């Protein structure tokens, strides 16, 4: 699966703070990776409509059972609301037992720095 390109569901105001969230997930099995892939379209649709989402991208290496997400939000509360609602909430709970490892990183940037650079996110993870 190729990288899903940076999508900007909401145009952010210029020169304001954006809250960045990056993650790296490794599944225990190839079956877990396939489950992750199968659920990706629903979560991707949700993020594209999420209030407060300034942008998101996904990298996938399913044969290595590894996935990375990168997103920017107007606030930590907007990210939390997204994570606890819609398709994401049951997907995260359902995939939890499939995960071997998960890493997360958060930081802030200005909206002028969007879209985000994957090299910086991967270094932080």
């Amino acid at each position: 699966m190729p990288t899903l390109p940076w999508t900007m569901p909401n145009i952010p105001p210029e020169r304001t703070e954006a809250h960045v969230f990056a993650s790296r997930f490794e599944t225990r099995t190839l079956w877990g990776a396939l489950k992750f892939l199968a659920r990706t379209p629903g979560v991707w649709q949700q993020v594209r409509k999420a209030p407060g989402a300034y942008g998101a991208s996904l990298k996938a290496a399913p044969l290595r059972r590894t996935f990375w997400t990168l997103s920017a939000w107007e606030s930590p509360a907007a990210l939390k609301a997204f994570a606890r609602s819609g398709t994401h909430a049951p997907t995260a709970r359902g995939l939890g037992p499939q995960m071997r490892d998960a890493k997360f990183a958060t930081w802030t940037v200005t909206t002028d720095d969007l879209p985000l650079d994957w090299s910086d996110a991967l270094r932080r993870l």
Side-chain angles (χ1 to χ4, degrees):
M1 175 183 204
T3 299
L4 294 177
W6 186 259
T7 184
M8 293 180 73
N10 300 297
I11 304 301
E14 293 179 7
R15 293 180 291 282
T16 59
E17 188 173 72
H19 300 270
V20 178
F21 179 79
S23 63
R24 179 188 178 276
F25 299 101
E26 183 181 341
T27 63
R28 294 180 188 281
T29 64
L30 188 54
W31 179 245
L34 294 174
K35 285 183 176 183
F36 192 106
L37 279 175
R39 293 183 175 137
T40 295
V43 174
W44 191 248
Q45 287 295 357
Q46 180 188 351
V47 78
R48 292 177 72 180
K49 298 175 185 175
Y54 288 159
S57 181
L58 169 81
K59 282 184 172 286
L63 295 178
R64 290 180 25 213
R65 304 178 333 271
T66 307
F67 303 86
W68 300 264
T69 70
L70 180 59
S71 57
W73 301 84
E74 77 177 7
S75 67
L79 170 60
K80 186 183 267 187
F82 164 78
R84 294 184 175 175
S85 66
T87 304
H88 185 276
T91 295
R93 282 191 304 273
L95 288 174
Q98 300 293 327
M99 294 302 148
R100 177 172 177 241
D101 187 37
K103 294 182 180 166
F104 307 98
T106 60
W107 67 97
T108 58
V109 297
T110 67
T111 53
D112 296 344
D113 295 326
L114 301 178
L116 296 169
D117 180 62
W118 267 108
S119 62
D120 183 39
L122 294 173
R123 182 182 53 77
R124 291 172 185 262
L125 290 168

